[in-house]
Amino acid sequence: MSGLSTSCEMVVFCSSAGHCQLDCDYCVVNPVIKRQPSIAYEDLRFFLEKVGKTVFFIFSGKGDFFAGYPKRDRFLDRLLDHEVEVALDINGVLLQEYPELSPEKLGRIRAINLTMHYKQIKDKKVQRVWVENAKTILRQHRGELILGTIMSPLVMEWWEEGLEFYRDAVFAETGQKIGLIEDCDRPYTPEQSALFSLLYERFADMIERH
């Protein structure tokens, strides 16, 4: 989420604390933490009342923003009742109340970082859900969008299938390109580098080049 500007008086970085419904092989978050949602609207409301300023909340870190609270809490919707802007880091499996937000509130979501974890999407059998959620974001989001997939050596055997899935299910209809994210904790072997380069060229028309 580079190059973001804001008219807010304060920028606050908030970690998702690792809350997530997926179990990616390359994840560094303790599995127990993932199942303990703890984002509370009341905490941020208290903070906003105390600081008395407009705030740009950047929700980032390891995990998924929407996994941090149950839909009934409508955390994002209520937070956007205040003079705030937000940036979100998500995996696309959950959208909670996002599709129901008003145009005015959607306009204050400055950025979304959407990552496709294909192996887990397949393992959890949520391919259709992920595709519909991705299309909803592409249809409604007005700010910066970073859409990528992690090309970790640990899931190398699913690289090609994952890119084919995205091409057929999302790119073919929307034209939205996807970035290939290397696993910074696990360097490629020569064989893995060769496959990465091969796939990069094969799917060049839908790869976001940086």
Side-chain angles (χ1 to χ4, degrees):
M1 298 181 186
S2 60
L4 283 179
S5 61
T6 179
S7 60
C8 292
E9 301 166 277
M10 181 181 292
V11 177
V12 175
F13 290 85
C14 298
S15 173
S16 66
H19 304 307
C20 190
Q21 63 284 79
L22 303 182
D23 300 289
C24 299
D25 297 300
Y26 41 81
C27 186
V28 298
V29 179
N30 185 302
V32 175
I33 295 176
K34 293 182 178 185
R35 306 298 183 250
Q36 299 176 349
S38 67
I39 296 180
Y41 162 74
E42 288 73 17
D43 293 339
L44 295 190
R45 183 187 64 184
F46 176 81
F47 172 79
L48 288 168
E49 290 172 352
K50 287 298 180 182
V51 300
K53 297 181 178 180
T54 56
V55 177
F56 181 19
F57 287 105
I58 299 178
F59 293 94
S60 61
K62 305 172 182 69
D64 174 69
F65 172 80
F66 288 119
Y69 66 95
K71 183 178 180 180
R72 65 177 179 274
D73 286 357
R74 300 189 69 83
F75 173 86
L76 180 60
D77 185 27
R78 291 194 289 166
L79 180 61
L80 291 170
D81 284 334
H82 300 270
E83 293 298 317
V84 302
E85 294 178 344
V86 301
L88 309 177
D89 197 350
I90 65 174
N91 61 37
V93 175
L94 292 174
L95 288 187
Q96 305 296 39
E97 78 278 27
Y98 174 86
E100 304 160 15
L101 295 177
S102 68
E104 189 271 333
K105 289 184 176 181
L106 287 169
R108 287 192 277 118
I109 301 176
R110 296 295 310 285
I112 292 179
N113 183 25
L114 170 61
T115 305
M116 181 183 77
H117 302 280
Y118 176 71
K119 180 179 181 296
Q120 275 294 293
I121 291 171
K122 182 178 180 180
D123 288 350
K124 303 286 186 182
K125 296 180 173 59
V126 291
Q127 295 99 318
R128 181 177 298 180
V129 170
W130 192 91
V131 169
E132 290 306 311
N133 287 346
K135 290 178 180 178
T136 296
I137 291 170
L138 292 173
R139 187 168 56 249
Q140 296 188 189
H141 183 54
R142 302 177 183 181
E144 178 181 353
L145 175 66
I146 301 173
L147 198 162
T149 186
I150 299 177
M151 304 289 279
S152 172
L154 297 179
V155 292
M156 176 182 171
E157 59 188 289
W158 288 276
W159 287 359
E160 183 174 8
E161 183 178 324
L163 292 174
E164 289 175 343
F165 165 77
Y166 183 82
R167 178 195 62 199
D168 298 341
V170 180
F171 179 73
E173 179 178 330
T174 68
Q176 174 63 46
K177 295 184 177 182
I178 188 169
L180 305 187
I181 306 167
E182 296 185 40
D183 187 342
C184 60
D185 293 326
R186 299 173 181 87
Y188 291 159
T189 65
E191 177 189 5
Q192 291 162 348
S193 292
L195 178 59
F196 181 92
S197 297
L198 180 66
L199 294 176
Y200 198 96
E201 292 307 315
R202 177 183 167 191
F203 295 94
D205 61 331
M206 71 170 203
I207 300 300
E208 191 70 60
R209 297 176 183 265
H210 301 288

